[in-house]
Amino acid sequence: MGYLMVNSFFKSAISLGSLIMIDSANQTDGDTAVIDREVQRVRKLSPKYKVLLHNDPVNTMDYVVATLREVVPQLTEQDALNIMLETHNNGIGLVITCDLEPAEFYSESLKAKGLTSSIELES
């Protein structure tokens, strides 16, 4: 917690671009006031991105499952199988939702292995 000492003659002070009004009840001795100032930090969460896998008639289902597990190591065999089936049945499947940089990495890695992939902003 920071303190700001201000002469009571001015009744206000400018600190870090904001105007601080001094209440005369805060005065500690004849002409000096103490303001308690609490600094709050606001964290903005980074947007998340969906890595999408698109169905293709070229690659086998086993290859797709093995490639998903290789590219996204945190996927279990069952997760990869479910993603492959979702993609096969619906034409597109959600692989993972994450920050932009890993999403780009996963999508590009899937493309390098011959799969069709894209990313989109999570809504």
Side-chain angles (χ1 to χ4, degrees):
M1 184 175 315
Y3 294 98
L4 177 64
M5 299 296 287
V6 181
N7 187 314
S8 64
F9 175 76
F10 291 108
K11 300 286 186 197
S12 65
I14 296 176
S15 172
L16 301 175
S18 63
L19 185 63
I20 301 171
M21 298 303 293
I22 298 173
D23 184 0
S24 60
N26 287 342
Q27 292 186 350
T28 56
D29 59 17
D31 63 342
T32 305
V34 176
I35 299 173
D36 289 350
R37 190 168 144 246
E38 186 175 321
V39 177
Q40 294 181 347
R41 294 178 189 225
V42 177
R43 291 189 182 192
K44 185 176 177 184
L45 299 177
S46 63
K48 299 295 182 188
Y49 290 83
K50 298 187 284 189
V51 178
L52 303 172
L53 179 66
H54 302 267
N55 192 36
D56 66 57
V58 177
N59 296 295
T60 67
M61 292 179 174
D62 290 336
Y63 177 76
V64 172
V65 170
T67 302
L68 284 168
R69 294 215 52 216
E70 183 180 331
V71 170
V72 187
Q74 60 264 42
L75 294 177
T76 65
E77 182 80 21
Q78 189 62 51
D79 291 337
L81 185 63
N82 290 341
I83 293 165
M84 180 275 299
L85 288 173
E86 178 188 2
T87 303
H88 178 73
N89 293 328
N90 301 323
I92 196 164
L94 175 64
V95 177
I96 192 168
T97 302
C98 55
D99 289 329
L100 178 59
E101 200 168 317
E104 290 174 332
F105 173 77
Y106 292 140
S107 182
E108 292 301 318
S109 297
L110 290 169
K111 289 176 187 176
K113 300 276 186 184
L115 302 179
T116 307
S117 177
S118 64
I119 63 171
E120 72 177 39
L121 185 61
E122 183 181 46
S123 51

